[in-house]
Amino acid sequence: MNKRLSIIPLLAVVLLLLCSCGGGSTTAAVSGGDTVRFKYAERLTVVKYDGYTVATLADPWNKGRTLHSYILIPDTAKAGTQTDGKGLTESLRAQTGAAVTVVHTPLKRTVVASSVYCGLLISLGKGDAIRGVCDLKYINQPWIKEQCRLGRIADCGDASTPTLEKIIDINADAILISPFQNSGGYGRLDEWGNPIIETADYMETSALGRAEWMKFYGMLFGVEDKADSMFNDIEKRYNELVKLARTSTVSKSVLVDKIAGPVWYVPGGRSTLGRVIADANAEYPFSTDNNSGSLQLTFETVLTKAGNADVWLLRYDGKNPLTYPTLLSENQGYSQFKAFKERQVYGCNTSTSTFYEDTPFNPDLLLRDIIIITHPDLSGLGSTRYFKKVAK
């Protein structure tokens, strides 16, 4: 029979969740547990206790509230500290009003609903834990495609509506899926009963803050030490590039992406991409915006605000390389932008590139590209990896 956790750690966890809704960077250590310190992540708090760990995700859209709490119980927990988590879960949910989920670690048969985490898990040496994926058509990792072809990884449908029957059929122990504001839940997945890991790292306000979440994912998959080491290497490379960019004598401004239908989605000034541009010592027309997500703007608004940007970086999904005539065929108004006129447009074809699999947890790779493009006076960095200059 499973034993209950003692009342002292239980009260400590309740106090922790009451104090930590705002994110990991401001949380004080709680008696009875060891708080994991994060240098950059602002929306994640982790406290370790004897035999279990509590991870708290701050709600990105409602300041001061908790999005989700996870009680991580390792399979190797000492006898007497193991628990089914039922009593603890009920107490925490009553105190915070947020979802609380027990996760038995390490995860071994997981569905990954975003290509971002496929790349991360492969880098952490846990590709074998991926047993299902969503949005396979958007995944460019050769290994994932091959495993799907061989039937070792299941195609679980669209990320917005995963196929529950397929998830049950492969006996998945959890699903990693991105939360969205006012999403209304996860449909039939809410009836599943196994852990739904809400991957809210994309709402962090810095590139290193998002990348630091790999420590949490390392805990979930039993490779915490490797995740810590990998992040330390990435942090070192990223900060070295930031220092290098500050030595440049060239200053260029950057426009991002293009209009989609009636809306131009522009990264907010506090988004990870907005902050990478700033760290590259480049100017960003929307840098004063405090949004950590995307802004939904009209063509006219972007033209007014960023029409004189020196460089235009855009991500696109196409069978053929992007050209200037192609851009004009999509919208004649693009000809009004300075970067278009001066042929300073750089495209990243996400249908063939591993941009989305690589850069969220390796932001140094993206930073390097932007520095190369915006600081031609700096040498020794080689050629860009993702963004290529559009042919005339």
Side-chain angles (χ1 to χ4, degrees), residues 101-320:
T101 300
V102 171
V103 184
H104 293 279
T105 61
L107 295 175
K108 299 174 182 177
R109 302 182 60 85
T110 305
V111 174
V112 179
S114 171
S115 62
V116 170
Y117 307 98
C118 290
L120 175 62
L121 291 178
I122 291 172
S123 296
L124 289 172
K126 299 304 294 184
D128 60 340
I130 303 173
R131 296 304 177 90
V133 295
C134 296
D135 287 340
L136 178 59
K137 59 183 176 291
Y138 297 124
I139 296 177
N140 294 326
Q141 285 282 349
W143 185 83
I144 295 290
K145 288 186 174 182
E146 177 65 8
Q147 297 303 301
C148 287
R149 187 186 68 80
L150 296 173
R152 296 170 183 166
I153 293 179
D155 181 354
C156 295
D158 294 336
S160 58
T161 54
T163 306
L164 182 57
E165 289 79 10
K166 185 63 68 69
I167 294 172
I168 294 173
D169 185 57
I170 63 175
N171 193 29
D173 52 17
I175 183 170
L176 272 60
I177 193 166
S178 297
F180 294 95
Q181 186 176 21
N182 302 321
S183 66
Y186 297 99
R188 296 181 63 203
L189 276 181
D190 292 330
E191 307 168 7
W192 178 35
N194 283 4
I196 298 174
I197 309 299
E198 298 195 271
T199 54
D201 51 85
Y202 76 98
M203 289 298 292
E204 279 291 342
T205 58
S206 70
L208 287 177
R210 182 178 190 181
E212 198 169 21
W213 277 57
M214 70 175 62
K215 298 179 180 180
F216 170 53
Y217 300 123
M219 295 174 192
L220 289 174
F221 289 90
V223 285
E224 181 179 354
D225 289 344
K226 185 167 186 177
D228 288 350
S229 176
M230 194 163 77
F231 176 76
N232 291 338
D233 290 341
I234 291 167
E235 177 192 23
K236 182 174 182 291
R237 292 195 299 269
Y238 190 95
N239 286 331
E240 286 175 349
L241 285 168
V242 170
K243 291 180 181 178
L244 176 64
R246 290 173 181 166
T247 67
S248 173
T249 58
V250 176
S251 178
K252 291 191 177 185
S253 54
V254 178
L255 168 66
V256 177
D257 290 335
K258 57 180 180 174
I259 197 164
V263 177
W264 195 317
Y265 292 95
V266 173
R270 287 178 59 80
S271 67
T272 54
L273 181 52
R275 294 287 292 274
V276 170
I277 294 172
D279 287 340
N281 195 23
E283 297 177 21
Y284 184 50
F286 303 94
S287 61
T288 57
D289 174 81
N290 290 322
N291 199 308
S292 58
S294 295
L295 307 177
Q296 300 181 31
L297 305 178
T298 64
F299 182 95
E300 291 74 18
T301 300
V302 176
L303 179 61
T304 300
K305 186 78 173 178
N308 288 321
D310 301 302
V311 171
W312 185 0
L313 305 180
L314 58 87
R315 295 164 288 187
Y316 69 98
D317 182 353
K319 294 181 180 179
N320 300 308

